[in-house]
Amino acid sequence: MPITAIKGMTDIFSPEVELWQTIEARARELFESFGYREIRTPIVEKTELFARSIGEDTDIVQKEMYTFPDRKGTMLTLRPEATASIVRAIMQHRLYNIPTMGKFFAIGPMFRYERPQKGRYRQFHQIDAEVIGSKEPIVDAEVMYWAMLFLEKIGIGSTELHINSLGCEECRMPYKRSLVDYLKKYEASFCRDCQRRINTNPLRVFDCKIEKCKEIVKEAPRILEFLCGECQKHFDSVRFFLDQVGCSYTVDHHLVRGLDYYNRTAFEIIASGLGAQNAVGGGGRYDGLFKELGGPDIPAVGFALGVERLMIVLGENLPGHEIKKPDIYLIALGDDAQKTCFLIAQNLRKKSVYVEMGYELKSLKSQMRRADKFGASYVVILGENELVKGVAVLRNMTTKEQFELSLDGIEKTLAEKIKKE
Ligand code: ATP
Ligand code: MG
């Protein structure tokens, strides 16, 4: 049996990979206008980093991590998300001391041991952004605006932004008490996980995907009614700035996100056409995470978009997506002609002309067929007769016109012809 890829992990190739490249290029462009700089962290980290940041009682840590010992027995985990690694890197290299460097982005694969289905894979990709160093609500709004603008720019206009506030330590205490009182009334009806969560991490109950649990929590108390003065002011400001920039949103009272480190702003972006996997992205503020991981007290806010889900929503609709066709296809007839063609091909490529050539010495007819399949604009034919005469035949594949070109300086002649078009 030939070896196949691991379940839930996919190969990405043409023509889809061109879509990926376009999406990534658009993200990079937009990040640049907002002053984000790229950060590339390893895809493996010590397990402890994720367990401590994401939270012991989250689905990710409990069920979804790819964790294994290395040869010395150190427990390692394939990153399930990007924030923890980025925070670790920022602390390790003290990047917070560089005043011009507070906005970071990363694009790359993440790993979660989930049941593979449409929009849910074991290796998937995220476009991730993190802004550190400011508590200001203006930053939360700007981060969300980036995401919404990006979606619009790649042609996904019909998404919904859902926002909520998770308050701070102070307002979450009384809220948790009230929530637990409510949940306890229905304890027996909850799934096993939620029964445990009621005691260990009650907010996680909102994250449960089981219908029965979702039904019960619909009537649960709302955190917004418990916000302290400062958190209320923060949330109001976030809303003000979103309104100001024309970014519409819905307040979703039970939005908590699947990670423990969020405080105040939490948000999610929902798209249609994804079925149960309807979130294309999400994020929020995490003012306590740096300190929690043993670093200085640095507020931060960020988000991640799932690239596979963007692809599903986009289908084939990404504007400007086209597979490049060769400018020139070289056909050699005979050994000596092939040697000359080989040189011409490399010289043209040096001049940034896209050249394909027939590597096999087949008949003219069969090589022409291949050139046609590539959709080449021009074909250059070099047979033994032409070689003796010091010329090659240039055929315009659209007009079918043909004429001879001198081999002397042919690269320059061809490159100029292509550039003119
Ligand atoms: P979900 O509720 O769908 O499981 P999540 O809350 O676990 O999502 P996050 O951790 O916030 O997701 O990750 C941000 C985005 O990454 C999601 O909105 C989604 O687009 C994408 N994503 C998360 N897990 C997967 C996965 N297993 N396969 C594909 N995309 C994923
Ligand atoms: Mg999940």
Side-chain angles (χ1 to χ4, degrees):
M1 276 279 280
I3 299 169
T4 56
I6 296 167
K7 191 176 162 198
M9 304 205 178
T10 42
D11 302 305
I12 304 158
F13 46 87
S14 189
E16 279 79 33
V17 79
E18 280 83 7
L19 271 172
W20 283 74
Q21 289 164 351
T22 308
I23 297 243
E24 288 169 11
R26 298 272 162 89
R28 284 171 192 278
E29 274 162 32
L30 197 60
F31 277 131
E32 203 171 299
S33 353
F34 280 70
Y36 285 82
R37 308 240 201 123
E38 185 172 11
I39 182 161
R40 301 187 187 195
T41 62
I43 57 163
V44 218
E45 298 273 355
K46 291 176 189 153
T47 301
E48 192 193 343
L49 174 67
F50 301 116
R52 271 174 61 189
S53 57
I54 297 168
E56 289 284 358
D57 199 38
T58 58
D59 273 0
I60 295 181
V61 173
Q62 291 268 323
K63 305 178 197 163
E64 298 172 1
M65 293 210 302
Y66 271 94
T67 298
F68 53 90
D70 72 2
R71 287 176 184 277
K72 290 228 167 93
T74 308
M75 294 311 285
L76 305 180
T77 295
L78 297 184
R79 63 180 185 193
E81 56 110 37
T83 308
S85 314
I86 294 175
V87 167
R88 193 240 347 109
I90 291 171
M91 292 196 308
Q92 188 172 333
H93 307 288
R94 297 181 198 277
L95 299 181
Y96 47 79
N97 282 336
I98 306 173
T100 54
M101 216 159 116
K103 297 178 226 171
F104 300 85
F105 79 90
I107 302 177
M110 306 295 153
F111 305 84
R112 295 186 196 176
Y113 198 86
E114 302 201 68
R115 193 169 67 78
Q117 53 197 290
K118 186 183 170 200
R120 196 174 290 287
Y121 313 96
R122 289 182 174 174
Q123 176 175 329
F124 61 100
H125 297 75
Q126 286 185 340
I127 296 172
D128 183 274
E130 314 292 344
V131 181
I132 64 157
S134 178
K135 271 188 179 323
E136 292 301 320
I138 201 167
V139 182
D140 310 34
E142 194 176 89
V143 154
M144 288 186 253
Y145 181 64
W146 188 98
M148 298 312 278
L149 183 60
F150 173 69
L151 294 173
E152 195 185 306
K153 278 189 183 273
I154 62 168
I156 305 181
S158 59
T159 50
E160 281 176 35
L161 173 63
H162 289 201
I163 66 170
N164 194 16
S165 174
L166 302 176
C168 59
E169 291 285 312
E170 213 177 291
C171 33
R172 222 171 307 155
M173 281 294 210
Y175 173 65
K176 268 190 188 169
R177 275 198 296 272
S178 154
L179 177 63
V180 171
D181 285 347
Y182 172 85
L183 298 175
K184 287 254 187 211
K185 284 194 276 189
Y186 303 93
E187 192 159 3
S189 313
F190 278 112
C191 74
R192 266 252 177 89
D193 279 339
C194 283
Q195 286 176 354
R196 175 175 44 84
R197 289 170 181 141
I198 293 173
N199 299 309
T200 57
N201 197 345
L203 261 75
R204 285 275 75 81
V205 174
F206 290 117
D207 225 25
C208 187
K209 304 236 162 36
I210 293 168
E211 271 316 311
K212 205 168 57 176
C213 303
K214 278 171 71 175
E215 204 49 46
I216 306 171
V217 297
K218 270 190 189 153
E219 299 301 318
R222 299 169 163 193
I223 189 154
L224 289 186
E225 281 150 25
F226 289 77
L227 291 189
C228 66
E230 281 301 299
C231 286
Q232 184 65 55
K233 215 170 100 196
H234 186 97
F235 192 57
D236 291 343
S237 284
V238 171
R239 296 180 60 165
F240 170 84
F241 289 117
L242 285 175
D243 290 337
Q244 198 190 34
V245 77
C247 203
S248 51
Y249 57 83
T250 312
V251 175
D252 180 343
H253 292 278
H254 292 146
L255 173 69
V256 294
R257 314 277 308 116
L259 306 93
D260 272 354
Y261 53 62
Y262 289 118
N263 70 306
R264 292 195 170 160
T265 314
F267 65 96
E268 212 154 66
I269 302 164
I270 311 292
S272 53
L274 283 172
Q277 276 63 251
N278 64 356
V280 288
R285 185 163 272 288
Y286 53 95
D287 294 336
L289 185 58
F290 277 86
K291 227 173 155 192
E292 179 73 31
L293 291 174
D297 197 0
I298 298 172
V301 53
F303 68 86
L305 298 174
V307 183
E308 282 79 359
R309 294 194 193 171
L310 297 179
M311 292 296 164
I312 296 172
V313 180
L314 273 170
E316 295 296 311
N317 295 332
L318 193 72
H321 159 62
E322 202 179 303
I323 293 169
K324 211 165 155 24
K325 296 184 168 139
D327 300 313
I328 293 173
Y329 191 99
L330 290 175
I331 294 179
L333 303 167
D335 277 336
D336 288 337
Q338 193 185 43
K339 283 173 195 148
T340 306
C341 275
F342 179 74
L343 248 186
I344 297 174
Q346 313 322 326
N347 286 336
L348 280 169
R349 287 164 178 163
K350 254 192 237 168
K351 295 181 193 292
S352 305
V353 176
Y354 172 22
V355 180
E356 285 287 350
M357 70 181 285
Y359 297 119
E360 313 301 321
L361 284 175
K362 291 198 173 148
S363 71
L364 177 61
K365 203 170 149 203
S366 119
Q367 294 205 56
M368 280 301 280
R369 231 181 354 244
R370 189 160 180 267
D372 243 351
K373 282 193 183 137
F374 269 103
S377 315
Y378 288 95
V379 167
V380 171
I381 306 159
L382 190 60
E384 302 293 322
N385 287 343
E386 283 83 18
L387 201 57
V388 174
K389 275 169 68 184
V391 296
V393 174
L394 177 71
R395 182 180 168 86
N396 181 324
M397 295 297 273
T398 332
T399 62
K400 313 287 178 208
E401 281 173 312
Q402 249 177 235
F403 43 91
E404 287 186 349
L405 286 181
S406 165
L407 281 178
D408 198 23
I410 193 171
E411 293 92 343
K412 195 159 169 259
T413 321
L414 287 171
E416 276 167 9
K417 195 166 178 54
I418 300 293
K419 298 248 159 73
K420 254 192 253 145
E421 287 180 4

